Structure formats: structure tokens, C-alpha cells
Amino acid sequence: MKTAVLVFPGSNCDHDCYHAVRHVLGREAKFVWHQETSLDGFDLVIVPGGFSYGDYLRPGAIAKFSPVMGALAKFTAKGGLALGICNGFQILTEAGLLPGALMLNSGMKFICKDTYLRVETSDSFVTGRMEKGKVISVPIAHMEGCYIADDDTLKRLEDDDRILLRYCGPDGQTGDESNPNGSYGSIAGVLSEKRNVAGMMPHPERVVEASLGGVDGLLVFESILNSLSAA
Amino acid sequence: MFDAHQIILHGLTYDEFDLALEIIGRQPNMVELGIFSVMWSEHCSYKSSRTHLKNFPTTGPQVIHGPGENAGVVDIGDGLAVVFKMESHNHPSYIEPYQGAATGVGGILRDVFTMGARPYALLDSLRFGDPSHPKTKYLLDGVVAGIAGYGNCMGVPTIGGELSFHPSYNGNCLVNAFNLGIVNKDRIFLGTASGVGNPVMYVGSKTGRDGIHGATMASAEFGDGGEERRPTVQVGDPFTEKQLLEALLELFKTDYVVGIQDMGAAGLTSSSFEMAGRAGTGVELDIEKVPRREEGMNPYEVMLSESQERMLLVCHKGVEDKIKAIFEKWGLSAEVVGRVTGDGMVRIMEKGQMAAELPAAPLSQKAPMYSRPASPPDDLAVRHKLDHDSLPQPKDYTETLSRLLASPNLCSREWVYNQYDHMVRTNTIEKPGSDAAVIRVKGTSKAVAMSLDCNSRYCYLDPYMGGAQAVAEATRNVACSGAKPLAITDCLNFGSPEKPEVMWQFIQAIKGMSDACIALGTPVVSGNVSFYNQTGETAINPTPSIGAMGLLEDHEKLVSQYFSEEGDVIIVLGETFAEIGGSEYLSVIHGQERGAPPKVDLTKEAALQKTLVELADKRLVKSMHDVSDGGLGVALMECCFKPGTSAPLGFEVSLATKLRPDIFFFSESQSRAVISCNPAKAKDILALAKKNGVPALNAGKTSSGDVEIMVGGRVLVKTSSATLKKAWSEALPKMMNS
């Protein structure tokens, strides 16, 4: 598996994603500067978190014009796998590679804390190793993580089984109490129509070693490895 | 010729103006007067404090660079060093809390990365007025948002700090930002302008009119209309700083750079004068070439602007274009604005005309130095008077303990740190809330622990003891994680040095700190003084905030403050005396702030810290927590409140004492800790403590959730851990939402 970790001006979870893939999983990874125009030769592209272009204007709104995004569109059109995490998710929605949008948290403040997530589908390259209904603990760290979409889009996401993860309580129950940012339907992550582009606000790369307080993020990376080796 | 009004407007005294005349042998022009004004401001020159600061212990085998550089540097082995410092941004934060705090974070980050280190951890020491004061919530909300806004965007985790409230901060909040970075020992960069003929380059953001005379503003007390100084507060742009950080780290891999310094307070002026001053050289600047974001700025404005995210560097000849290319990649300006000269003068040229010509070293190193009069407050004896018999004993200890846990100074800080990204860079192995925040050092087995502490009520009652206590507590917190304390930085926040009482507090606190630093083996490697935290006649409580750092050789030996399992043995280390002077109990429950603060016995403290580090190293303990504000009862409960657990553990303990139960229970005696262990390890722990001369008592065991505390054979507290946790967790959000 050869992973590209995109680097935009203001990316700051790029090192963490690189560390997870390269040092924890022991797989090949490379930083790809946003001015690059090709993603040929990679099996997976991670669009990492951070504050690309300072989140000025709107998170992801400027990054989507970077040259590498044209390459990413081509890469995913050919079925390449791409995962956007946090700001990466925001960039992918801005670029139209994923449906919906991420708005200011309902509490109007930045939130960094552990959240419980319920796996909504096993039919994806990021959750393939997890059973539907499984509850995992992965932290969030964002100001604009409130997922919204119009009713038709939400219905299509439900009908196509393209909702990846929902925020929930430790017992798997969803509701206002366990919804940290006001996301519609407590949605924490979604899939593209062709199921090869995924976006999630929580940070799996932050829980890949016991010393960091959890290893549930490994399930995400192992799912990706698994689906690549199966392909 | 300047009239008296202009001299005073520039914050200079007549004597200082006369000294300026003597140094240059003529009348200064307006630009030069402005330069004297900022260079000799209290903020930049430390003119009231230098004579006392030199008493700090600043050396040790672990110290690579002590005070005098942009930040302190301490050796952590394996060819690595930590670079750290703490700095105040009090005045701007009171005037404009979001930007004031944000640029405080930006400044301390630059101090660290200008030395070549990547910043890895931010902490903040925050102090606000009475929670019921109309400005408190507004300031706290803005300051926390500002720290979050800057630190989060930079991708540097904010992993700890402290927050407290006291009416003495009603008119002057304190915002002290701490940053620690890691660097290869052989790649440390210093702020010197050496090599005559070398180019001087300006890199980073463009210069605007913001923050002109910020340093002068921070060197005066607030009178009426302090808020009208809003234009002197700078505006932060963390995105640009993130670019500057990455560009510099790329540049530092090359051998292009001779010296570099942040343009912080007093901007281009302080960086050029200090760099030349340190190297014994001069600098000639052609300020037309300074990149600007506003039209029509005159030399006075360019030299005194405190626009953020800028640096001045000296490089070798011939690499200018290579440097420009790196900055261009990151979308930043880099311009050659001058050259190093050999005659010790700083010359500011504009359109071929001399706009200013002043000697570098006298301005940066020979600023006036004052030994200001100092005398203890008249009512010191009254402050120390405390009659225990006049204090009614609590009728219901459970209720009293609950009230303390929900009080503003002791309740959960989750509301604050959940707004900070405390995990980015995936090194945080002890998250905010525990005694010390701890980051691992990737690529090694090591970890670095940090803690910020000060009890300003103790300092008000006895600044010597308060200064010593702050060092003892900060280093003890570091030791509680298992790390060996190595060094400290400080932020000395005081009122007006022109008041003898304040000066006395300052001198006493430095003495107390110095004695503690010597006894505990932790020299002062960097720091900052913030005077004039004073509104009219009201000065803040003296607040020497301490930032301690320590090293854990094996990060797998990290110990946290939380009980981890039912049935573990609880051991109390240290001795409890009748010390409730200046305590939270006395303040919250009895509404009094008096008495002598707890005595710090530095021999006992050193023995305790040595024991804590040994216990962790031998893997004998499962948790260690220092006993401080609120006393033993509060400390025991804090061991139960592990973040993220919905059903907290409890405990049963029985403690013998001859003291009055409330005085024993809420005493804030120093050099104590609560630890937990596997029952099979208790014997070894007691033996180790005995060997080190630390009193140790097997006090009880952890439970699944019930809390029962017996003191002197009487059950004082009987409740559930969950009930108390609720009171503790909900207090701050309730206060902020009310």
C-alpha cells in the first residue's frame, strides 16, 4: 500500500497521518505538496486535518483550488481510494467529491474531546473490518463539524447505505446528548456514490497507539489495508 | 528640542532623557526618541528588575542556554534539547481578550521556533477577577477563544496550564503563555548579528501600523481609559505564522543562517538593536525595503510597529535568493533590508537620508537600571493573624467538600481545555487535567512533563514562601508524572515597581524562588517580568507563575494522577500540619484570606520529589497526585475524576490525627502526595519512603464508587464519587452560561 498524504499551506495533521501509516502500520507513505499535479502510483490518498489556508473564507474553500485537487478528482474518478479527515473532509465537500457541508458547531466553540461513534455500514473501505452497530471511541477536534445536507441528499445517503459513522453514547444510542456539534442525524462520516471517497470529522490517526489513550483508530487503517489487499 | 509633554508621552523620565542625551551627545530626533522609548520601556529593558533577576540560579550541567536568549535550552540527551519559555500578554488581553491572548501565543511560539526548535506543547496560566465581576466572563471567554484560535491553527497542542480567580485581578487579568519545543542540540540558532557585511533580511508578514508602542503600553498601569488603547493591541494571523514556522524549519536545515530573532515587542527596533548588541556589531537598515501593508508609513511607524509574524535574520553573503525561494514557497515576504556593520551603530536610512543613528549596545544593554525602594506592607502582621478558634467547624463535611470542589478555583477545567486541540501531533500521553501534561518524544523512549503553578494568595500573605511554594508545586507536579524535574521558566506578574510594597514583594518572591530552585536542582533558564499590573491604587496579588519541565527517560513509566482499579491500596506521603492560612477552605467556606501560608521545607520537598521519581522508575505505583489547593479531601477526590469516565471510582480511607478534623482535612501543608498501588507493592513503597525519610501511611483502598473518609476515628464524609464529580464538573459551564 502506497499512501499519499496531501500537504496544503496550513495542514497540521499531515505528520500524524504519515506517522500512523509509516511508523505504526509500517507501510509506505509520502507527503504530497498541494502544487503537485499527479497522484499516479498511489493506492490511497489521505487529505489530512488542519487549517488549510487558515480556514479563511470557509474551511476548505481555498484549498479546493490547489492543483493537487485536480489530480485528486482524476485519481478518484478512476476508482482510487481517498479519505478526508476533519479539514480534509471539509475540503472534499467543498470540492464536490463528497455531498453535504460542514458548518459551525452548534455550540459555537472549538471542541476537542473523545467521542463515541457507531459504525453504520461495514460496506466501505474504512469500516470493512468493523461490524455494523459497533461502537468505537475516536476524538474530534474542530470548529466547523456540523454536518448538513438537504433532505434529498440525506435520504439518498440513507438509502444507499453511505453513512459511515454517527456520534453516539457509550451504549450506541444516538441523540442530542451525544451529538457534539449539531450534525444532522448525528452524522460523523459519509461515503461518495462510488464508495471510494470517504470523509469523517473524527481523527482515527490520533488513536493508533495505546500510549495515546486508545487504539480504535487502527480499525480504520486496518480496514483500508484489508480492502486494498482484497482488491 | 522636545517639550516635557513629548518626553512623558514616550514613557521616559527626565533623568532617562538626560541619559539619552549623554549617550548620543546631541538632541535625538523623533524616530530616535521613539526608539529610546521602547528600548528603555520596562517591558524591553527590565530596568526595575535586572538587578534582582541576576540572583536567580541559572546554571547546571543540563543547561545549554540560560536567560538572555529568546528562550532557555535544556539538554534531554540523545542529541536533543528542549527550548522553552513563558511570557505574559496581560495588558493587551485585558484591552482586547481574543487578540491579546492570541498574539501572546503567537509571540511565545516565535520565541521558541526562532531558535530552530519545532514547538510541541503550549500551556497557559490564566488569572481573572472575581467570577461575579461584570468583566470576568467576557475576558475568560475571549482569552480562551483567542488561545484556541491561534494554537489550534498552528497545529501545536495546548496541553495544560492553570486558571484561577481572585478579585485582585478585576482590573488586570493575567495571560501567561508557555511554549516548549524540541531541537537537535547542534542546530540551535541564536539572535546575533555577526559577520560584518553579512546581509540582514526581513522575513514573514508585512509591516502595518498595528501595535505601535505596545511595549510602552505594557509598561504603565491602567488609569481611566485603558480600553482606549485598543489600537496598540496587535492582530494575530496564525495562518501566516504557521507558514513562517514551516518556512523557517525548512531554512534551518541549511547552513544559510548566521543569526535570527523574532520581532516581538518593539518590533524591528528591538530585534535590530539586540542582535547587534549581542554580537558587538552594528546594523544599517534601509527601511524603504521593509515590506509594508499600508501606504505612507514614516520611519517612526515602521521602526515601532508591532505587526506580528515577522523575523529579522542575518545570513551569509550569496544565499539571499535561496532564502527568498524558500519563503516564496510558503507565500511569505523575504527581503534584504540592510547589512551588518562593524562600528556598533544602528543606522536607519530612508531614501538615502539618515532617519536615525544610535549606538546598539548602549540601548540594548545599558538601559537605566533601578534599585527601587522596597518595604513590606504596613499590615503584614495583621494579614498573618489567624485565630483557629473563631472558625466554626463544618456541620456537614460532605457538603463542605462538595462546595469546595465546585468552587471557581478548584472545579473542573474541562470547559477550557476542550476548546484547545490538545492532541494534534499525537504526542500527548498525559492529557490536560492531570498534575503535569506530558508529551512523548517520537523516535526516542523519552517523554517531557510540564506544569504551570502559582498560588497568588500565598504570595500576597508571604511572597517569599509563595515564591518558594510555586517552584515546589510546579516541580512536584512534574515529579508526580514520574519525570525528573530539570529546569523552570517564569513569568513574574506584579503591580507597579514604583510602589515600595510591590518592589518588596518582587524581591521576596525572587528570594523564595531562588532558594527553592537551588534545593530542588531546577535552575531558571528563561523568563519574563510583567510589572504595572495595577489599576489606580489596586495592584494584583503578586503572581510569580512558574513553568517547570522534567524528563521521563522511559515514557512507558508515565504515572497519571487517577486511580485506575478497585481494591488498590492508597498511601499518603508527607505530613499534615495545622496550616490553613491562605487556604481555599478559609477563603471559600469562611470568607477569609489571612494567616501564614503553608511552610515549604525544601529538604522535605526534595526528599518527596526524589521518592516520587523513584516510585515511578521502579514501577511500584499506579497513580500519584500532589496534595495542594483544597487539601487532602480535594486531592483524594481529584484522583477519582478521570476524564471520560462516567462511573468514577471511589475509596475508603481512615486517617489518624490529633488536629481539629477540619484543620487536618483542609490543611494545605506542602510536600504531600496521594498514591495508589497494587496491594502487593504497598510494603515496598513504605520501605522506599522510609529510606528517603518521607513519612508514609497506608490510608485505605479504592472502591467501585462509594466514598468514605474517616478522620481521627470519625466518619467525616460518606457519599458517592459520582455525586461529587457532578458538582465538580458542572460548576464552570454553569458559571459561564449563567
Side-chain angles (χ1 to χ4, degrees):
Chain A
M1 173 175 111
K2 192 173 173 190
T3 300
V5 177
L6 303 191
V7 183
F8 296 91
S11 291
N12 59 32
C13 302
D14 45 348
H15 288 85
D16 303 348
C17 291
Y18 180 91
H19 174 75
V21 174
R22 184 73 196 85
H23 300 124
V24 181
L25 269 73
R27 304 300 165 124
E28 205 178 334
K30 233 186 124 183
F31 290 115
V32 176
W33 183 235
H34 74 119
Q35 298 282 9
E36 297 291 326
T37 51
S38 166
L39 289 163
D40 291 347
F42 290 104
D43 303 303
L44 169 73
V45 175
I46 296 179
V47 192
F51 290 69
S52 58
Y53 291 97
D55 277 359
Y56 295 149
L57 187 57
R58 220 170 39 237
I62 302 174
K64 75 171 172 188
F65 295 111
S66 281
V68 81
M69 291 306 290
L72 184 63
K74 277 184 216 151
F75 176 83
T76 55
K78 285 189 281 185
L81 301 183
L83 169 63
I85 299 166
C86 197
N87 189 228
F89 186 12
Q90 294 163 339
I91 293 170
L92 293 177
T93 58
E94 283 288 337
L97 294 171
L98 285 172
L102 283 313
M103 306 288 286
L104 183 65
N105 295 340
S106 52
M108 319 269 276
K109 289 191 186 308
F110 191 97
I111 312 169
C112 176
K113 64 173 189 180
D114 291 323
T115 55
Y116 291 105
L117 305 172
R118 190 176 73 199
V119 176
E120 297 294 297
T121 178
S122 292
D123 181 16
S124 89
F125 72 99
V126 285
T127 56
R129 286 289 292 270
M130 295 176 260
E131 273 170 39
K132 184 175 173 173
K134 184 182 170 62
V135 176
I136 58 175
S137 173
V138 182
I140 55 168
H142 59 243
M143 184 86 169
E144 284 98 356
C146 172
Y147 185 78
I148 64 159
D150 60 57
D151 291 345
D152 289 347
T153 306
L154 286 172
K155 186 169 181 310
R156 267 213 322 271
L157 285 172
E158 295 264 11
D159 292 348
D160 297 351
D161 191 27
R162 282 161 52 201
I163 295 168
L164 272 177
L165 302 157
R166 289 186 209 266
Y167 302 106
C168 65
D171 52 0
Q173 288 292 313
T174 57
D176 290 348
E177 281 238 322
S178 58
N179 186 345
N181 51 28
S183 291
Y184 284 11
S186 296
I187 291 173
V190 298
L191 276 176
S192 67
E193 219 170 314
K194 282 163 51 190
R195 309 188 86 81
N196 65 324
V197 181
M200 61 191 290
M201 288 312 294
H203 288 271
E205 79 280 11
R206 294 186 179 190
V207 273
V208 291
E209 291 163 278
S211 56
L212 298 175
V215 290
D216 283 358
L218 275 180
L219 294 169
V220 169
F221 289 99
E222 283 167 1
S223 296
I224 297 172
L225 275 183
N226 207 40
S227 76
L228 279 171
S229 59
Chain B
M1 283 294 281
F2 294 106
D3 61 22
H5 181 66
Q6 270 168 326
I7 294 168
I8 287 168
L9 253 186
H10 278 82
L12 293 172
T13 66
Y14 296 127
D15 286 346
E16 288 167 351
F17 186 72
D18 286 343
L19 181 61
L21 293 181
E22 198 179 298
I23 286 175
I24 60 174
R26 59 174 167 83
Q27 285 283 330
N29 64 29
M30 194 63 183
V31 180
E32 292 165 339
L33 181 67
I35 289 171
F36 271 108
S37 155
V38 289
M39 288 304 292
W40 287 2
S41 68
E42 188 66 56
H43 189 84
C44 290
S45 73
Y46 294 84
K47 58 191 169 192
S48 303
S49 59
R50 279 196 340 264
T51 182
H52 304 292
L53 296 175
K54 65 176 192 285
N55 296 326
F56 276 137
T58 58
T59 54
Q62 72 275 42
V63 180
I64 297 175
H65 288 292
E69 291 299 335
N70 284 305
V73 184
V74 169
D75 196 339
I76 59 166
D78 285 355
L80 297 174
V82 292
V83 178
F84 69 105
K85 190 184 182 184
M86 180 154 55
E87 202 160 76
S88 60
H89 236 214
N90 305 334
H91 293 79
S93 299
Y94 186 81
I95 295 170
E96 214 298 285
Y98 185 99
Q99 291 299 343
T103 52
V105 172
I108 196 67
L109 285 165
R110 286 195 303 280
D111 276 336
V112 166
F113 70 74
T114 191
M115 297 193 75
R118 181 181 277 282
Y120 278 100
L122 285 163
L123 290 86
D124 303 279
S125 171
L126 310 179
R127 284 180 171 76
F128 299 93
D130 191 295
S132 65
H133 187 273
K135 283 197 87 163
T136 296
K137 282 196 281 186
Y138 155 77
L139 289 171
L140 172 58
D141 203 62
V143 163
V144 170
I147 291 169
Y150 211 102
N152 296 351
C153 183
M154 285 295 292
V156 180
T158 300
I159 57 171
E162 53 167 354
L163 164 66
S164 65
F165 302 91
H166 189 276
S168 79
Y169 306 108
N170 280 350
N172 296 81
C173 64
L174 300 187
V175 174
N176 296 173
F178 169 103
N179 178 224
L180 178 140
I182 298 175
V183 68
N184 280 324
K185 237 162 69 177
D186 55 0
R187 302 296 295 170
I188 296 167
F189 291 84
L190 302 177
T192 60
S194 42
V196 174
N198 276 337
V200 175
M201 291 185 81
Y202 168 113
V203 299
S205 201
K206 293 178 168 53
T207 297
R209 287 192 173 91
D210 46 330
I212 291 173
H213 273 303
T216 317
M217 179 262 297
S219 304
E221 59 198 64
F222 284 147
D224 290 333
E227 283 86 344
E228 283 160 25
R229 303 198 190 190
R230 207 178 297 266
T232 55
V233 178
Q234 316 83 341
V235 176
D237 176 0
F239 173 63
T240 298
E241 179 137 317
K242 167 77 173 158
Q243 302 309 94
L244 183 59
L245 164 67
E246 299 300 339
L248 281 179
L249 292 181
E250 194 171 321
L251 175 63
F252 289 148
K253 288 181 189 156
T254 69
D255 291 319
Y256 303 159
V257 179
V258 173
I260 179 163
Q261 182 158 331
D262 167 39
M263 291 190 220
L268 194 51
T269 297
S270 64
S271 53
S272 52
F273 278 82
E274 287 175 13
M275 287 180 78
R278 280 195 202 101
T281 56
V283 158
E284 189 174 304
L285 295 177
D286 184 356
I287 59 165
E288 268 175 276
K289 295 195 178 130
V290 170
R292 304 175 192 196
R293 71 168 85 107
E294 289 180 63
E295 302 264 322
M297 288 180 73
N298 60 38
Y300 181 93
E301 292 169 324
V302 174
M303 289 306 291
L304 298 191
S305 161
E306 291 191 8
S307 288
Q308 298 287 291
E309 295 95 22
R310 305 178 300 162
M311 301 233 182
L312 196 66
L313 70 83
V314 173
C315 64
H316 295 290
K317 269 182 257 181
V319 298
E320 298 90 326
D321 287 340
K322 290 177 184 165
I323 292 177
K324 280 184 188 178
I326 291 174
F327 282 87
E328 211 164 275
K329 173 186 164 188
W330 294 97
L332 297 169
S333 308
E335 293 297 333
V336 177
V337 293
R339 61 188 179 89
V340 177
T341 59
D343 65 356
M345 298 300 285
V346 175
R347 287 192 193 83
I348 314 297
M349 310 295 291
E350 199 202 29
K351 294 177 189 144
Q353 301 285 310
M354 188 88 76
E357 182 180 31
L358 294 169
L363 264 96
S364 63
Q365 288 161 6
K366 295 216 178 68
M369 184 152 86
Y370 299 120
S371 192
R372 296 190 187 274
S375 60
D378 301 334
D379 64 343
L380 198 59
V382 182
R383 288 183 198 181
H384 284 178
K385 229 177 237 161
L386 174 62
D387 174 16
H388 288 177
D389 294 336
S390 71
L391 304 170
Q393 294 195 43
K395 289 197 181 69
D396 178 347
Y397 276 83
T398 307
E399 195 263 351
T400 305
L401 180 58
S402 178
R403 263 178 72 193
L404 271 175
L405 287 166
S407 67
N409 286 338
L410 298 178
C411 65
S412 168
R413 267 68 182 118
E414 208 172 309
W415 180 89
V416 176
Y417 63 72
N418 277 357
Q419 296 184 53
Y420 303 147
D421 189 340
H422 49 263
M423 309 170 184
V424 64
R425 295 205 80 84
T426 59
N427 293 316
T428 312
I429 55 173
E430 186 64 63
K431 289 177 188 154
S434 198
D435 283 326
V438 185
I439 56 161
R440 64 173 173 181
V441 183
K442 280 191 187 123
T444 74
S445 64
K446 295 172 198 291
V448 176
M450 292 149 270
S451 180
L452 308 187
D453 292 282
C454 176
N455 185 320
S456 72
R457 204 187 290 125
Y458 296 170
C459 296
Y460 165 78
L461 294 169
D462 181 346
Y464 172 88
M465 205 52 90
Q469 192 277 339
V471 173
E473 185 173 343
T475 49
R476 191 189 314 142
N477 280 332
V478 164
C480 278
S481 73
K484 184 181 186 308
L486 288 184
I488 69 156
T489 180
D490 62 57
C491 217
L492 307 175
N493 309 276
F494 287 79
S496 165
E498 294 161 42
K499 307 262 191 302
E501 178 186 332
V502 170
M503 212 52 221
W504 176 81
Q505 293 172 333
F506 184 73
I507 295 166
Q508 290 292 311
I510 285 179
K511 278 189 182 145
M513 286 171 60
S514 299
D515 287 350
C517 285
I518 292 167
L520 302 173
T522 50
V524 180
V525 296
S526 57
N528 158 247
V529 177
S530 173
F531 279 131
Y532 297 101
N533 293 287
Q534 171 135 7
T535 302
E537 281 305 301
T538 316
I540 59 160
N541 276 355
T543 316
S545 310
I546 305 299
M549 70 74 49
L551 177 67
L552 194 59
E553 286 290 347
D554 179 356
H555 73 72
E556 296 201 340
K557 290 183 177 172
L558 169 71
V559 178
S560 96
Q561 84 170 37
Y562 308 109
F563 294 149
S564 59
E565 215 172 339
E566 193 186 334
D568 282 344
V569 165
I570 298 171
I571 292 171
V572 177
L573 298 178
E575 254 179 302
T576 306
F577 303 97
E579 294 184 308
I580 57 166
S583 68
E584 284 296 324
Y585 170 65
L586 197 61
S587 165
V588 174
I589 306 297
H590 297 287
Q592 297 187 31
E593 300 199 333
R594 51 171 61 244
K599 184 173 181 299
V600 184
D601 179 325
L602 291 167
T603 311
K604 285 184 185 169
E605 182 65 38
L608 176 80
Q609 294 190 15
K610 177 172 180 275
T611 305
L612 295 170
V613 174
E614 279 183 40
L615 287 172
D617 187 53
K618 293 184 159 55
R619 295 182 192 265
L620 290 172
V621 286
K622 289 164 91 170
S623 73
M624 304 201 284
H625 180 32
D626 108 294
V627 180
S628 55
D629 304 357
L632 205 45
V634 168
L636 281 161
M637 291 318 306
E638 286 168 345
C639 293
C640 300
F641 298 161
K642 185 174 182 179
T645 46
S646 45
L649 292 174
F651 57 87
E652 285 165 33
V653 295
S654 175
L655 302 152
T657 179
K658 292 194 176 107
L659 301 176
R660 212 172 92 173
D662 61 329
I663 290 175
F664 172 81
F665 197 49
F666 298 115
S667 161
E668 296 184 3
S669 287
Q670 297 296 297
S671 312
R672 293 182 299 162
V674 172
I675 64 182
S676 73
C677 66
N678 184 309
K681 301 280 172 71
K683 224 176 105 190
D684 292 348
I685 294 173
L686 295 175
L688 195 151
K690 196 173 173 193
K691 183 195 82 179
N692 288 340
V694 174
L697 171 79
N698 184 331
K701 62 180 196 308
T702 58
S703 77
S704 63
D706 290 332
V707 171
E708 189 181 294
I709 304 171
M710 246 164 83
V711 171
R714 172 183 158 202
V715 175
L716 282 195
V717 175
K718 197 171 166 58
T719 182
S720 79
S721 185
T723 311
L724 292 176
K725 186 173 183 187
K726 191 166 182 287
W728 174 79
S729 322
E730 289 176 352
L732 193 56
K734 249 188 214 161
M735 174 190 142
M736 293 309 290
N737 295 328
S738 66

